[in-house]
Amino acid sequence: DVPEFYGELTGMTLPKKPAKPPPMELSLPVTLAEVYNGATKKVTYTRRVLGADSTTAEAEETIHVSVVAGAADGTASRFPGKGHQDVDTEPADVQVVMKTAPDSKWSREGDTLYYTADITLCEALTNTIVQVPTFDGRVLSVPVNQIVSPGVTKTVTGEGMPKASGGKGDLMV
């Protein structure tokens, strides 16, 4: 290490660079609708702030997190220097990790959205049209032209989660 070597040669020590503590991790609950459309969410948290007299005090902070349309569950946003402050260390970063809240009708796997439709026995045995409300305010009419048994799915191409590369995944009803 150069500073230690320099100190051994000269008998002096160089000032050490303050250590950087690990980031504060915060969880951001989001809905599938927010992930589908994209959103800006506020996160409020408490951190230690270093005063002029080298004492710390608790302070409430608010940051705005951008949820990108189609972002994967577990996506993290980092905010440099917005975490705890202490003596002889750099301020910690804040890392906000997106966590998708469960939904009774909707689920997601990658860019594919799954919608669980409840239909009657009569509808399952005859032709029917399933109305699927989308996250962008439309209602899709999905025709079901075969006899349906539990677990049967119908694919609607291009109506799933937005992709980073453009376009959308599929919707499974």
Side-chain angles (χ1 to χ4, degrees), residues 98-164:
M98 187 178 76
K99 180 70 178 146
T100 307
D103 188 291
S104 62
K105 292 279 189 185
W106 291 93
S107 62
R108 175 189 186 183
E109 208 171 282
D111 297 324
T112 303
L113 285 174
Y114 293 87
Y115 178 76
T116 303
D118 296 319
I119 59 174
T120 65
L121 178 60
C122 182
E123 291 170 328
L125 297 174
T126 61
N127 291 344
T128 190
I129 296 177
V130 176
Q131 302 295 319
V132 180
T134 63
F135 294 123
D136 57 6
R138 299 174 295 133
V139 176
L140 299 177
S141 298
V142 180
V144 179
N145 302 324
Q146 77 270 12
I147 295 176
V148 178
S149 59
V152 168
T153 59
K154 176 107 176 165
T155 303
V156 182
T157 306
E159 290 293 343
M161 193 59 73
K163 297 179 181 181

Side-chain angles (χ1 to χ4, degrees), residues 11-170:
M12 298 171 42
T13 57
L14 294 174
K16 291 186 178 183
K17 182 179 176 188
K20 180 103 174 175
M24 289 177 65
E25 270 214 15
L26 304 174
S27 182
L28 175 65
V30 293
T31 64
L32 274 174
E34 290 169 332
V35 175
Y36 182 89
N37 293 307
T40 299
K41 306 256 311 185
K42 283 195 315 184
V43 177
T44 301
Y45 63 100
T46 303
R47 72 177 188 146
R48 286 188 310 274
V49 179
L50 190 61
D53 60 353
S54 294
T55 61
T56 57
E58 299 284 312
E60 191 171 275
E61 299 283 337
T62 300
I63 52 178
H64 296 273
V65 180
S66 179
V67 178
V68 177
D73 195 43
T75 298
S77 298
R78 199 172 193 102
F79 296 86
K82 296 288 188 180
H84 293 308
Q85 297 176 347
D86 283 309
V87 178
D88 295 332
T89 64
E90 289 183 39
D93 296 343
V94 169
Q95 184 165 305
V96 180
V97 180
M98 187 178 76
K99 180 70 178 146
T100 307
D103 188 291
S104 62
K105 292 279 189 185
W106 291 93
S107 62
R108 175 189 186 183
E109 208 171 282
D111 297 324
T112 303
L113 285 174
Y114 293 87
Y115 178 76
T116 303
D118 296 319
I119 59 174
T120 65
L121 178 60
C122 182
E123 291 170 328
L125 297 174
T126 61
N127 291 344
T128 190
I129 296 177
V130 176
Q131 302 295 319
V132 180
T134 63
F135 294 123
D136 57 6
R138 299 174 295 133
V139 176
L140 299 177
S141 298
V142 180
V144 179
N145 302 324
Q146 77 270 12
I147 295 176
V148 178
S149 59
V152 168
T153 59
K154 176 107 176 165
T155 303
V156 182
T157 306
E159 290 293 343
M161 193 59 73
K163 297 179 181 181
S165 61
K168 293 181 182 175
D170 294 334

